[in-house]
Amino acid sequence: MVFDYSYFIDAWTVDTVERAMAPMYPTWDHATFDAYLERFGLARKRQVKELSRGMQMKLMLAVALSHDAKLLILDEPTSGLDVLARDDLMDLLQDYIADGTRSVLFSTHITSDLERAADFITYITGGRLRYTGPKDEFTESFRIVKGGPDDLAAVAPVAAGVHRYATGFDALVRTGDAARVSGLDVEPASIDDIIRLTNAPGAAAADGERGA
Amino acid sequence: MMGGSPVRGPAVAARSRTAWKSILRAYRMDWCRISSPGRLFVPSVVALLPGFVLLITAAGGDARPDGGGAAYAAVSGASVWMYMIVPMYAFMYEQQNGAARLAGLMPVTRRRQVAARYLLVLTCTALVIVSWLLAAAVQVAFGMADVASIPSSVAVTAGQYLVTQALLCPLLYRFSTRKALLWFAASALIGFIVSMGSFTAAMRTTPSDALGGFVGAFNDAVAMLAGHPGASAAAFVLCSLIALAVSYRLSVRIYEGREL
């Protein structure tokens, strides 16, 4: 598992982290850990407290990836990371699952990470499970309808969520209902759009629950 | 039911081996925690008492009117305090920042993590014995101590250490390090006040002949213990181990119910 902040003792060096963690896992691979340290630029003599937040995240990742785990669980792995570090991490996760025998489960508020890397999504909001299933199905099941203030009446009955502006609105509709809204701009919905509009004030309860 | 001793099945033996491996994993993690101040931390604690005893003795401490007793007592006290801190480091570092999550991540059950922590306490007890023996060796070498008194004094020291840890560990599982020490100190103070108060009240309210009988019985008990120092020390250590076993059960209960 990898959390959003380090769980290693600050006074430990990277070397001590390996000495502490390696005995936990019979499948620990020293060479793999070494390779990740080199890839991430982590010197063995550096203490955990001397590492930046991104480097601490990479250290947790190096430990998590060095014992042939079949499932990697990450809690907000990219929050607080800069764009380059986030990119690096996503590349790493994609390499990790490339052989098809491993999986990654991560929680995030950064929807661009989902767009880029996720195959399956579970969407939870307000303490309720709203959707769980393939990412592409999630995005394909909605459309964004844009129009002026006078067009809202035609869309409102079928809208799952509406965001009003002074000059018009964005409405989220199910793909099947998009055909009922003629003469207005209909665009594909991104994950961001779906989350934004299903949480807009007065959004209709989504019926997107389905089994995993 | 057939007579004879029960034979442990291979499944039971395998479970025991697995349990031991788990406990040793957690024990190694704890050792890494207590070595966080540096690899020489534990060896320096072991060397502290014999080192200072050598220093005092070599500096002519035995030539003082009290035979250097005050200096030795101060050093012994400081050394006991250092040994009390050693297992506490495992708790302290576990409570630091997000380090508690590591306890939840380890592939070791909570019960076995507690068992490993108590194994660490037993290890520290062994180190206390090593330290005291080294100090005693220094004193014997300088003609300051009688060899015959060493085993019972080492045993009593080890027993005292075990009892202290038996009281401290459940508090450290229940509270933060700071709060646990406050509770420990408060309990010791209240215990002292209550026992002194009870003793004083008993002295004032008990008729003198009954009191004389009690004091006589007490003196007889002390004389009996003093007459058999080895057996008394062994009994004390046995009681300390029982206290540690009870403490372990309590710690398991506290830790298994805790949110990490």
Side-chain angles (χ1 to χ4, degrees):
Chain A
M1 281 190 71
V2 177
F3 292 103
D4 51 348
Y5 56 88
S6 173
Y7 47 74
F8 299 124
I9 291 171
D10 287 347
W12 283 357
T13 61
V14 172
D15 204 37
T16 311
V17 165
E18 186 183 11
R19 272 195 292 113
M21 299 303 291
M24 296 290 153
Y25 307 102
T27 50
W28 182 268
D29 188 336
H30 173 76
T32 305
F33 185 68
D34 251 347
Y36 279 117
L37 292 186
E38 199 172 320
R39 178 174 174 171
F40 298 148
L42 293 168
R44 281 186 170 270
K45 295 298 172 200
R46 287 192 76 185
Q47 288 184 311
V48 171
K49 63 186 174 191
E50 293 170 3
L51 302 176
S52 67
R53 197 182 164 286
M55 299 296 262
Q56 288 180 1
M57 175 73 66
K58 286 177 177 176
L59 178 58
M60 282 192 280
L61 214 46
V63 169
L65 295 172
S66 297
H67 57 91
D68 197 28
K70 294 302 179 193
L71 173 65
L72 193 62
I73 301 174
L74 304 112
D75 180 18
E76 304 274 2
T78 59
S79 90
L81 297 185
D82 61 34
V83 168
L84 290 175
R86 205 188 301 160
D87 235 23
D88 204 13
L89 176 62
M90 285 294 130
D91 285 342
L92 188 72
L93 294 180
Q94 282 178 322
D95 290 345
Y96 179 72
I97 61 169
D99 68 358
T101 64
R102 301 185 182 120
S103 298
V104 175
L105 172 66
F106 68 94
S107 68
T108 185
H109 292 106
I110 301 171
T111 52
S112 56
D113 294 341
L114 296 172
E115 303 267 11
R116 180 179 164 172
D119 296 317
F120 294 87
I121 287 179
T122 296
Y123 171 37
I124 301 170
T125 185
R128 281 185 58 211
L129 177 67
R130 303 294 287 266
Y131 173 84
T132 185
K135 179 192 71 178
D136 293 339
E137 265 185 46
F138 183 59
T139 50
E140 286 300 312
S141 61
F142 290 97
R143 291 287 184 270
I144 296 287
V145 178
K146 300 186 180 205
D150 299 334
D151 302 319
L152 184 56
V155 178
V158 297
V162 177
H163 186 115
R164 292 182 180 81
Y165 305 98
T167 53
F169 65 89
D170 288 345
L172 185 73
V173 300
R174 294 205 165 271
T175 305
D177 293 332
R180 293 161 62 179
V181 181
S182 56
L184 296 175
D185 288 334
V186 178
E187 295 172 2
S190 67
I191 296 175
D192 225 13
D193 293 327
I194 297 168
I195 290 170
R196 181 170 57 88
L197 291 169
T198 51
N199 285 287
D207 294 328
E209 290 181 18
R210 76 180 65 192
Chain B
M1 192 169 159
M2 300 288 284
S5 57
V7 175
R8 284 176 62 186
V12 172
R15 273 202 299 274
S16 295
R17 274 197 303 274
T18 307
W20 257 114
K21 278 187 186 167
S22 271
I23 292 169
L24 287 176
R25 277 186 207 140
Y27 176 80
R28 275 192 216 111
M29 177 64 75
D30 271 345
W31 199 261
C32 286
R33 286 189 179 113
I34 64 170
S35 302
S36 295
R39 286 199 193 195
L40 293 178
F41 173 62
V42 174
S44 59
V45 171
V46 174
L48 184 73
L49 180 63
F52 270 107
V53 165
L54 179 63
L55 214 62
I56 294 167
T57 309
D62 53 323
R64 289 163 50 92
D66 64 349
Y72 291 128
V75 167
S76 302
S79 180
V80 166
W81 176 244
M82 287 300 296
Y83 270 110
M84 273 193 29
I85 288 178
V86 170
M88 273 169 53
Y89 266 93
F91 290 95
M92 276 163 48
Y93 280 111
E94 200 173 54
Q95 292 164 7
Q96 181 192 75
N97 300 332
R101 288 178 165 185
L102 189 53
L105 285 177
M106 285 201 298
V108 179
T109 62
R110 292 201 192 190
R111 179 175 289 262
R112 288 172 188 168
Q113 287 182 36
V114 175
R117 194 65 53 91
Y118 276 74
L119 184 60
L120 182 70
V121 167
L122 290 172
T123 307
C124 290
T125 309
L127 292 175
V128 166
I129 292 170
V130 167
S131 214
W132 247 253
L133 284 173
L134 288 172
V138 169
Q139 289 190 302
V140 165
F142 280 87
M144 297 288 303
D146 174 24
V147 173
S149 67
I150 292 172
S152 51
S153 74
V154 168
V156 166
T157 304
Q160 285 175 334
Y161 183 75
L162 283 170
V163 168
T164 312
Q165 291 298 333
L167 294 169
L168 255 181
C169 283
L171 290 173
L172 288 165
Y173 273 111
R174 178 65 182 82
F175 302 111
S176 67
T177 318
R178 203 169 128 251
K179 250 190 186 171
L181 285 175
L182 283 172
W183 271 107
F184 183 73
S187 308
L189 186 64
I190 291 167
F192 176 75
I193 292 170
V194 165
S195 56
M196 287 307 292
S198 307
F199 182 70
T200 308
M203 290 282 284
R204 287 187 180 171
T205 56
T206 309
S208 57
D209 50 352
L211 193 62
F214 169 75
V215 170
F218 181 77
N219 287 339
D220 289 342
V222 169
M224 188 193 72
L225 289 171
H228 301 88
S232 307
F236 180 52
V237 170
L238 185 63
C239 291
S240 311
L241 288 170
I242 292 169
L244 199 70
V246 170
S247 170
Y248 165 73
R249 295 296 296 263
L250 188 57
S251 295
V252 166
R253 200 172 169 147
I254 293 170
Y255 192 49
E256 282 184 336
R258 231 176 78 177
E259 191 72 40
L260 287 177

